[in-house]
Amino acid sequence: MRLHELPDDVFVLGAHAPDWRSAVRIAGDALVAGGVTTDSYAERMVQVVEEFGAYIVIAPGLALAHARPGPDVLHDGLAVVTLDEPVVFGHPHNDPVEVVLALAVTSNEGHVTVLAELANVFNDPMATTAIAQATTVEAVRAVLGRAQPEA
């Protein structure tokens, strides 16, 4: 999966979420729209946070929602959601969240490459802000494309 080649259906820009559960569900809906998962995956992502806490808030303003591989994951994929108003997940340092990424993988090994690519993008402390302020899918893709090696 190449971040800059994600289908339009997995991007939701300027979504309104009254709380973190809604934000995660919006990201889950984007995965469904992109044909990545079935509906039940969103609830599994919510359960991860309920069980393990807000560790998914991996950087200031950025959450990486996910759940273990399961039959509701049709293929590896990622959704990108920006929020019109940041929401609190309960993380002691990185709240509030304005960008929610939702990752779905079919195997435990499947996430390694994607996480490496995401790390390359978000090593730039301005990447989250750039995505949060993006008004077009192309603008988000441009930020995500920074992880790509020069051809």
Side-chain angles (χ1 to χ4, degrees), residues 3-147:
L3 296 180
H4 67 289
E5 295 174 352
L6 295 172
D8 287 354
D9 293 340
V10 299
F11 293 91
V12 180
L13 305 182
H16 181 73
D19 57 33
W20 69 263
R21 285 177 180 84
S22 297
V24 170
R25 288 181 181 121
I26 291 167
D29 290 346
L31 289 172
V32 172
V36 177
T37 68
T38 63
D39 289 333
S40 62
Y41 190 73
E43 287 310 309
R44 290 204 304 120
M45 291 190 297
V46 168
Q47 289 169 0
V48 165
V49 179
E50 288 173 342
E51 184 173 349
F52 299 109
Y55 80 95
I56 70 164
V57 184
I58 58 172
L62 178 66
L64 179 59
H66 59 279
R68 295 185 64 75
D72 50 1
V73 179
L74 306 175
H75 61 84
D76 293 355
L78 184 79
V80 180
V81 175
T82 64
L83 301 174
D84 63 351
E85 295 177 22
V87 298
V88 171
F89 275 68
H91 192 281
H93 308 293
N94 293 333
D95 271 340
V97 168
E98 54 191 350
V99 176
V100 179
L101 306 176
L103 175 64
V105 293
T106 56
S107 71
N108 288 324
E109 298 75 34
H111 69 286
V112 175
T113 303
V114 177
L115 291 179
E117 222 176 313
L118 289 172
N120 286 339
V121 172
F122 292 101
N123 276 339
D124 176 353
M126 297 308 298
T128 300
T129 300
I131 290 173
Q133 294 175 349
T135 57
T136 66
V137 169
E138 292 75 27
V140 176
R141 276 201 187 99
V143 176
L144 296 176
R146 295 178 194 163

